[in-house]
Amino acid sequence: MNNSQSQSSSATNSARASQRQNQQLQQEHADVCVIGSGAGGAVVAKELAEAGLSVIILEAGENHDPTTFGSYEPEMLRRLFWDNGLRRTRDGAIVISQGRGVGGSTVHNLCYAVRPPQVLLDRWSVPDLSSNFARVEQTLGVTQIQEPDVNRLNAVIRRGCEVMKWRGVVQRHNRGACPACGSQCLFGCPLSISTQDNPTRNGKQSMAVTYIPLALAAGARLYSNCTAEKIHVEKQRAIGVSARLPSGKLDIQSKAVVLAAGAINSPQLWLKSRLPNLNRRVGSNLHLHPAVFVGGIFNETIDGHLGIPQSYYIDEFLDLEQSPNKGYLLMPAFGSQMIVAASLPGFGEDHRELMERYRHIAALLVLLHDRTTGRVSVNYRGAPNIAYRLRRSDKRMLVEGAINAARLLFAAGATEIVMPYTQHFPIKTEVDLEIIRRRGIVPNDIMLASSHPQGTLRMGENPNRNVVKLSGESHAVKGLFVADASLFPTSIGVPPTLTIAALAEHVASQIIESGIVQ
Ligand SMILES: Cc1cc2nc3c(=O)[nH]c(=O)nc-3n(C[C@H](O)[C@H](O)[C@H](O)COP(=O)(O)OP(=O)(O)OC[C@H]3O[C@@H](n4cnc5c(N)ncnc54)[C@H](O)[C@@H]3O)c2cc1C
């Protein structure tokens, strides 16, 4: 090393040392530390704070000001999603959208508020959750979507469904008045403000404007931009959490820890913290509800970007009573220009011509109730490694779903079907649908997306097969609870938010009843 190199390296070292000195170590105490502020974490925090416990919420992302939500995609993807919206399975085949920020994925989700059929909950052996569902629905302001709020995209899909004589329903949602402002629902809702400031409710009713303000009003303390890095356990009992803040480190001592960081980050943190994993079930049982997009090009203007993107869906092919392990939903789908551009096939001139039809596209998502299970592990840097390979029966089901979606779109008046293959194969008649069957579902040949990761810290009473008990408490670590989509024993098949929230309320009651926080 020459003289100037050694001078510059000692300058760097002293800069690092002074940076370290400026990094503060903050210490906190609480009865319960909740990691994650999404569909599960927000509910647990509010319930425990209202029961008089001292609660700290850690949230890795920012505390959004909804009035700053806009339509500039690169910025919103960076602000609202993990990995800038590009989180993927290890083979790159499935993009997994997961929210990051106060309110978690409920900030950008599309507000279908669906209770699963009781038969599924019975199969999971969970206690009766009907009163939990009712309370959650009330707090989130769940109502039936009214006819004037069914936008043209959903109306066209319904028209096709009626021609096919399939079963479809206008759903309920957790959303106040939607003025169809043309902003991208997927990037949050600029109108949603705390229900405490606006009891009449406008816009999307995410956890950020419902449960979180209630938790704070009851005394909970929220740290945003604060990533939990390690859960501490002593004598098989959770005793606290270490987290990283922009200003330094935060150490929290608590009597209980609730892991609600979502179905990818919760097992990641468990494994990174080297918590017990004797049966090797932590991170296994990953379900994704993988979805394939099927677009229809219409002569009429659809303008799917205006109004509520999803108000209706078709459940003709999902019967959780008769066929508990298979099926799919057909959901209207719409994306921002960037997302639609990424989903459309072809390149150059061909792709440009399709994009020029943006306002004339109505699309369906085939959302698979998947039997496939994957696994979340951690790589050498502690980042999540998501392995998931569709089994053959699930691929067949997605092909069948895509063909049915295309048939519906033709029935509604589509003149061409576009599929998100790498190449553009024009599908102009029902006979051309054979292309979909022949091409099949080949990873990285067709774009697949997931918005509902679940199942990675599975609940159940058998400690050999499950990670946590039905109370949400770990089989191996006392005082460590899970309260997010990781709990699901199987794929749920329907939009999961209400179930996550109802289960989280149940877990909160179990924490109180357990007496662990006295
Ligand atoms: C595009 C899209 C549309 C959707 N539409 C619907 C719908 O219409 N209806 C429906 O029911 N569901 C919908 N969902 C799914 C639903 O939003 C999620 O299933 C649900 O929010 C998951 O809840 P969760 O508590 O498991 O995780 P999340 O809500 O994702 O919350 C987890 C939180 O933990 C934080 N976190 C992660 N790691 C750490 C850490 N180490 N330290 C601190 N914080 C951490 C994350 O930043 C995040 O805020 C949609 C999802 C997407 C992506």
Side-chain angles (χ1 to χ4, degrees), residues 21 24 63 78 103 120 150 168 230 233 261 308 320 350 352 383 393 416 427 431 459 474 479 481:
Q21 268 169 9
Q24 296 158 7
N63 195 357
R78 178 185 59 73
L120 179 112
V150 175
K230 188 170 167 61
V233 171
I308 297 176
L320 294 171
D350 197 22
R352 187 178 64 78
S393 57
E416 182 182 339
I427 298 175
V431 176
M459 66 178 165
S474 158
F481 290 80

Side-chain angles (χ1 to χ4, degrees), residues 40 154 303 347:
N154 285 262
D303 274 344
F347 300 94

Side-chain angles (χ1 to χ4, degrees), residues 35-40 58-60 82 97 99-101 104-106 108-112 186 226-228 260-262 265 451-452 484-485 495-497 500:
I35 303 168
S37 63
L58 306 181
E59 170 51 55
W82 281 89
S97 305
R100 179 186 164 102
S105 305
T106 69
H108 63 257
N109 85 10
L110 295 178
C111 298
Y112 276 131
L186 271 179
C226 180
T227 307
N265 292 53
S451 312
H452 303 164
D484 62 18
T497 301
I500 297 166

Side-chain angles (χ1 to χ4, degrees), residues 334-381:
F334 209 74
S336 63
Q337 287 91 332
M338 196 168 105
I339 292 171
V340 172
S343 311
L344 289 174
F347 300 94
E349 185 68 7
D350 197 22
H351 188 265
R352 187 178 64 78
E353 273 172 25
L354 285 176
M355 272 311 281
E356 279 172 358
R357 310 292 293 159
Y358 179 76
R359 296 183 60 201
H360 294 260
I361 295 176
L364 277 165
L365 273 183
V366 183
L367 188 109
L368 186 72
H369 173 43
D370 48 339
R371 293 189 74 179
T372 306
T373 53
R375 178 180 280 276
V376 177
S377 54
V378 288
N379 68 16
Y380 67 99
R381 286 177 311 168

